[in-house]
Amino acid sequence: MSRLLPVRFFTLGCLMTMSAAALAQTGANPPEGANAQETDEEQAQSTPQDLGEMTIHGGMTRYSALKSDTPIMETARSVSVETAEQLRAKGALDLGDAYTYSAGVIGDTYGFATRGDWLKVRGLSVPEYRDSLQALFGNYNNVRPHIYTLEQVEILKGPASVLYGQGSPGGLVNIVSKQPRADQQNELFVQYGSFDHLQLGTDVGGALNEDASLLYRVVAVGRDANTMVDHVNNDTVVLAPSLTWRPGLRTEITLLGNYQDTRSKAGAQFLPIAGTLTPAPNGQFIEDSTFLGEPEFDRYNTESQSVTLLANHIINTIWSFDVTARWTRGEADYRQAWPAFIGGSRYVFNDDGSLYENGTVPRTFYVSDAMSEQTAIDTRLHADFFDGWLDHEVMVGVQYQDVTTDNNSAYAFALGYDFATGGPDDTLGDTYWINVFNPVYGNVPGNDILDMFYNDAPEARTRDLGFYVNDQISVGHWRLTAGLRYDEVTTDDGTNEQDDDAFSYSIGALYRFDNGIAPYASYAESFEPVVGTDTLTGEALRPQEGRQYEVGLKYEPTGGRSQLTLAAFDIEQSNLANPNGLPNAGSQQEGVAEFRGVELESVLDLGIVDLEANASRILSEDPNGRRYASVPENQASAWLNLKPLTQWGGLRAGLGMRYVGESWDGADGLRTPSYTLADAMLGYPMGAWDFSVNVRNLTDKQYVATCLARGDCFVGDRRTVVGTLRRSF
């Protein structure tokens, strides 16, 4: 932990205190121009969005992916939402599980994982946000968020630069933290299941005074768990306290703290294709529980601390504003050994063509000491008014972010391998090699060897200042959206410093019929800086750019308990590296990628059961005309949830199916077969107690999630059975 941490906490605390005081003072006096006789309570009653209703609107929070209270049904974009209740019912154990029942989303791209949540949206990797501020930067320098600290998970599909600045044309995921509530339902739980998964947690809170102007909440979790891979643990401790102050009926200020310390090892073993997807040269397969690192060397230990400010104030019947600010710091101590990528099948052969030592291969030893630190603020001014012809919901925002990352690493590649002879060298030989079919541990290179490869890299810093405006216009049955943003980004990677600026646009139109049908169309843009110099032009590399056309149909019958979205999209990403077949290009950034697809996402109320049904088809093409790696063309999922049956004492049950179609390796040379998985849930309440059992991968299907052209495969999650006992109070 940084020695500057107490100073930073003190400084941030002072800023938050000043912000709170300013908000409180504003809330204590009538707005300028208001009737002096009108009280705060009378103004709050005349305001369409009082504070009690501002927290959640139609399942979306003010600090949601859309940064507004506009219902999803009236937004000309595709947005997926999974609430904490839905995630609990489906037995989600980590954030990656939260994405497996959404159309057009690949939730576990690289199968079983402990280092991160690798998802793709509409075929593209997307950034992770928390409470509308970016939460992860680069790789392996922060913790994996714990799902128990979340209220809901939101996926905004397609370019989002108008609201968020630089980012992926695939969209983003926004996770929403649990916040204090006056009607808090306190609970304790204990959970035990497969691979000695033991987890204890509590979620308590409520009012601290009689008028409920002070609220608190404390979420705490402790996990001690092994995993499906031998020697790979996944332990964590999480503490997330929060405090809300309501100095008036129109003002709310919330502080969220989060501390997480995770001790684990990397689950992905980068297994050779031959022996995982296909038989190895000796006809054998590698067990999916095989650990190919070193128990005393490998680790993936992460720690993070963050403080977030969420503040909102209703000025009058027209104006309101929100502030979101965060300071966070993350650190990662990462060590891993894996079979080296030496080319070919990655095996070593004897002169007679047999495997060296029947499958003993060289290993690479990797060391990474990484950190990230963020200071960010997003301020939004809202105006809801009628101009005589049109109803407007205008949002004007200013966003600033300052992020520093650092990664000092060592990459000791294929120790002891002689590329000239194709066998062990005369120095280290096969001392640090491992047999992939029968691993034996205990040989770890010392610091004298690893230090030879260690690189103390310079810190990288990115500063982004953005100004944006968005207007949601209502006229009759029409809902029209228009947004514009300007960003200035300074990126310093320690070697090069580069300034970029970009304008981003978005427009949309939706028509809501009285019968609940709402056709829509939209256009949106994104950009992402690329640091470096174009060797062909001598100029700074241009940002990658994305644009999306989307048309769709939404349906919400009377009562609002069912929703359906059918969407078709066309995404183009440009300013990519040149394709192989363009030798005489005028610049290095003539590459263009395309992603086209159709999605169906629905939540249907069928009486005693609810049905979530999702399906998607995505066609991708990289600058060389190949399909993108690990992007299945077809996906489908369904979750059938039996509502609590009072005649059976409140028994509840759920059954889900997930189909992931075949995918390719990025070079169109290797196909990973499709797979279908089943999940199930059974729960029963007993007064203040509740017991449930969740099973993911019900049939314990062994499958390969994806394989890459570079020569490795990633196996999927095995069956997990987890029982949870909860006590409410």
Side-chain angles (χ1 to χ4, degrees):
M1 187 180 297
S2 170
R3 286 178 289 180
L4 295 176
L5 182 59
V7 177
R8 294 184 183 277
F9 266 117
F10 176 75
T11 304
L12 189 61
C14 290
L15 290 173
M16 291 179 172
T17 302
M18 289 188 289
S19 299
L23 283 167
Q25 185 176 6
T26 306
N29 298 298
E32 196 171 309
N35 188 330
Q37 301 299 316
E38 188 176 31
T39 66
D40 278 355
E41 182 177 359
E42 291 168 339
Q43 282 202 348
Q45 291 173 346
S46 67
T47 303
Q49 302 170 341
D50 67 32
L51 207 56
E53 294 295 322
M54 184 177 288
T55 305
I56 296 179
H57 287 263
M60 303 294 289
T61 69
R62 167 57 67 88
Y63 307 101
S64 69
L66 297 172
K67 297 186 181 181
S68 77
D69 299 324
T70 304
I72 293 176
M73 274 300 299
E74 297 185 3
T75 303
R77 293 290 299 267
S78 292
V79 182
S80 299
V81 177
E82 288 281 324
T83 65
E85 182 180 352
Q86 291 171 319
L87 296 176
R88 179 181 295 184
K90 294 169 185 171
L93 294 176
D94 54 53
L95 193 53
D97 294 339
Y99 309 126
T100 54
Y101 281 92
S102 296
V105 180
I106 309 165
D108 47 4
T109 304
Y110 300 109
F112 170 68
T114 57
R115 297 174 300 165
D117 301 294
W118 316 117
L119 79 155
K120 293 179 183 288
V121 178
R122 294 185 169 175
L124 290 142
S125 297
V126 299
E128 180 183 299
Y129 281 69
R130 185 163 189 151
D131 302 316
S132 83
L133 293 175
Q134 191 170 352
L136 296 180
F137 313 93
N139 296 317
Y140 318 131
N141 56 33
N142 213 320
V143 300
R144 189 182 195 186
H146 198 288
I147 201 165
Y148 190 64
T149 65
L150 306 181
E151 197 69 59
Q152 64 187 31
V153 176
E154 308 160 349
I155 304 169
L156 175 58
K157 301 174 184 178
S161 285
V162 164
L163 292 178
Y164 291 94
Q166 58 177 309
S168 166
L172 59 87
V173 58
N174 182 54
I175 59 178
V176 181
S177 302
K178 289 180 176 178
Q179 300 175 30
R181 301 175 53 147
D183 58 348
Q184 171 73 28
Q185 180 67 58
N186 299 327
E187 73 170 21
L188 295 168
F189 79 88
V190 59
Q191 192 175 72
Y192 185 77
S194 303
F195 312 113
D196 293 325
H197 169 94
L198 174 63
Q199 188 164 246
L200 306 172
T202 185
D203 182 1
V204 297
L208 289 172
N209 53 7
E210 292 184 3
D211 63 359
S213 61
L214 279 176
L215 308 174
Y216 81 99
R217 190 167 187 172
V218 177
V219 180
V221 186
R223 181 180 66 220
D224 186 332
N226 294 322
T227 68
M228 60 174 275
V229 177
D230 297 338
H231 304 289
V232 175
N233 64 308
N234 192 17
D235 308 332
T236 195
V237 174
V238 186
L239 180 62
S242 55
L243 182 68
T244 292
W245 178 34
R246 294 175 172 173
L249 292 176
R250 295 172 296 143
T251 304
E252 183 173 285
I253 304 160
T254 298
L255 284 176
L256 305 173
N258 189 291
Y259 171 79
Q260 185 167 342
D261 187 355
T262 298
R263 296 288 181 262
S264 65
K265 293 182 177 69
Q269 301 300 301
F270 310 107
L271 303 175
I273 294 171
T276 307
L277 185 65
T278 60
N282 63 359
Q284 292 184 254
F285 280 89
I286 304 170
E287 294 289 336
D288 54 14
S289 61
T290 301
F291 175 68
L292 296 178
E294 283 291 337
E296 299 304 317
F297 173 80
D298 284 39
R299 59 182 179 267
Y300 186 64
N301 298 336
T302 57
E303 183 180 4
S304 77
Q305 314 90 30
S306 69
V307 179
T308 303
L309 167 70
L310 308 175
N312 55 68
H313 176 67
I314 299 172
I315 301 172
N316 55 30
T317 57
I318 296 176
W319 295 97
S320 63
F321 71 91
D322 305 325
V323 178
T324 308
R326 177 184 299 131
W327 173 85
T328 186
R329 180 182 174 86
E331 299 172 343
D333 176 13
Y334 178 23
R335 307 283 188 273
Q336 187 179 4
W338 60 74
F341 290 86
I342 57 175
S345 66
R346 298 172 61 197
Y347 289 96
V348 178
F349 294 87
N350 298 314
D351 292 338
D352 63 0
S354 62
L355 292 183
Y356 176 79
E357 297 290 339
N358 197 33
T360 297
V361 299
R363 283 187 296 181
T364 293
F365 287 79
Y366 179 67
V367 174
S368 172
D369 301 311
M371 61 77 66
S372 66
E373 187 166 7
Q374 172 203 34
T375 303
I377 186 167
D378 186 10
T379 301
R380 303 172 292 275
L381 184 65
H382 301 264
D384 297 348
F385 62 93
F386 179 65
D387 66 7
W389 292 275
L390 308 172
D391 282 304
H392 295 267
E393 296 179 28
V394 177
M395 176 173 59
V396 180
V398 179
Q399 185 172 346
Y400 176 75
Q401 179 167 272
D402 188 336
V403 176
T404 299
T405 59
D406 190 17
N407 188 2
N408 303 322
S409 62
Y411 189 80
F413 173 65
L415 291 179
Y417 182 70
D418 189 331
F419 281 88
T421 65
D425 63 19
D426 296 330
T427 305
L428 299 176
D430 62 4
T431 303
Y432 304 117
W433 295 20
I434 196 165
N435 189 292
V436 298
F437 306 106
N438 185 27
V440 176
Y441 311 109
N443 294 317
V444 179
N447 290 334
D448 56 333
I449 295 177
L450 295 175
D451 287 347
M452 295 169 56
F453 302 92
Y454 198 79
N455 175 37
D456 189 352
E459 290 186 345
R461 186 180 183 188
T462 300
R463 286 162 288 176
D464 188 346
L465 177 63
F467 304 88
Y468 58 98
V469 59
N470 192 79
D471 190 6
Q472 175 91 3
I473 302 170
S474 301
V475 51
H477 291 278
W478 286 98
R479 304 294 184 267
L480 309 174
T481 306
L484 170 66
R485 178 172 177 133
Y486 173 73
D487 280 273
E488 293 182 347
V489 182
T490 299
T491 309
D492 184 353
D493 64 4
T495 303
N496 301 296
E497 182 172 338
Q498 183 170 306
D499 294 324
D500 292 288
D501 60 80
F503 281 99
S504 304
Y505 308 88
S506 68
I507 56 173
L510 178 146
Y511 188 87
R512 188 159 190 178
F513 289 95
D514 291 333
N515 60 7
I517 295 176
Y520 71 91
S522 64
Y523 170 83
E525 296 179 339
S526 69
F527 79 97
E528 191 164 12
V530 180
V531 178
T533 302
D534 190 320
T535 58
L536 298 179
T537 66
E539 299 177 354
L541 293 172
R542 302 185 303 274
Q544 293 179 1
E545 296 179 348
R547 64 101 180 114
Q548 174 187 267
Y549 296 100
E550 180 178 331
V551 295
L553 185 72
K554 300 186 179 187
Y555 175 63
E556 182 181 50
T558 304
R561 292 189 55 81
S562 297
Q563 284 191 359
L564 181 148
T565 299
L566 177 64
F569 61 89
D570 184 323
I571 296 174
E572 180 183 276
Q573 188 179 25
S574 57
N575 293 343
L576 302 177
N578 289 349
N580 296 330
L582 199 61
N584 299 314
S587 77
Q588 289 181 257
Q589 295 181 281
E590 310 252 341
V592 176
E594 295 185 347
F595 302 83
R596 299 185 180 94
V598 179
E599 299 169 348
L600 172 66
E601 192 159 279
S602 61
V603 179
L604 306 174
D605 184 352
L606 304 178
I608 65 170
V609 297
D610 291 326
L611 173 65
E612 293 183 41
N614 311 291
S616 61
R617 179 173 175 81
I618 300 174
L619 302 177
S620 64
E621 185 176 302
D622 73 8
N624 289 299
R626 300 167 180 160
R627 284 164 285 206
Y628 267 80
S630 312
V631 179
E633 288 188 0
N634 301 302
Q635 284 182 277
S637 66
W639 177 263
L640 190 67
N641 191 65
L642 178 68
K643 297 177 182 178
L645 299 174
T646 54
Q647 64 269 35
W648 287 357
L651 177 73
R652 63 189 187 279
L655 179 65
M657 299 291 292
R658 296 178 277 140
Y659 168 78
V660 178
E662 63 182 27
S663 62
W664 294 82
D665 62 346
D668 282 355
L670 184 68
R671 179 182 65 90
T672 302
S674 63
Y675 56 90
T676 302
L677 307 175
D679 306 320
M681 178 273 292
L682 192 66
Y684 189 79
M686 297 166 286
W689 297 89
D690 182 271
F691 178 72
S692 61
V693 177
N694 289 91
V695 186
R696 291 184 68 88
N697 191 359
L698 183 66
T699 62
D700 198 21
K701 181 179 180 63
Q702 293 182 264
Y703 65 99
V704 177
T706 190
C707 294
L708 303 178
R710 69 187 185 185
D712 56 338
C713 288
F714 300 83
V715 296
D717 287 272
R718 297 295 299 269
R719 176 172 56 206
T720 57
V721 182
V722 176
T724 306
L725 181 64
R726 301 180 188 275
R727 175 68 163 86
S728 300
F729 60 93

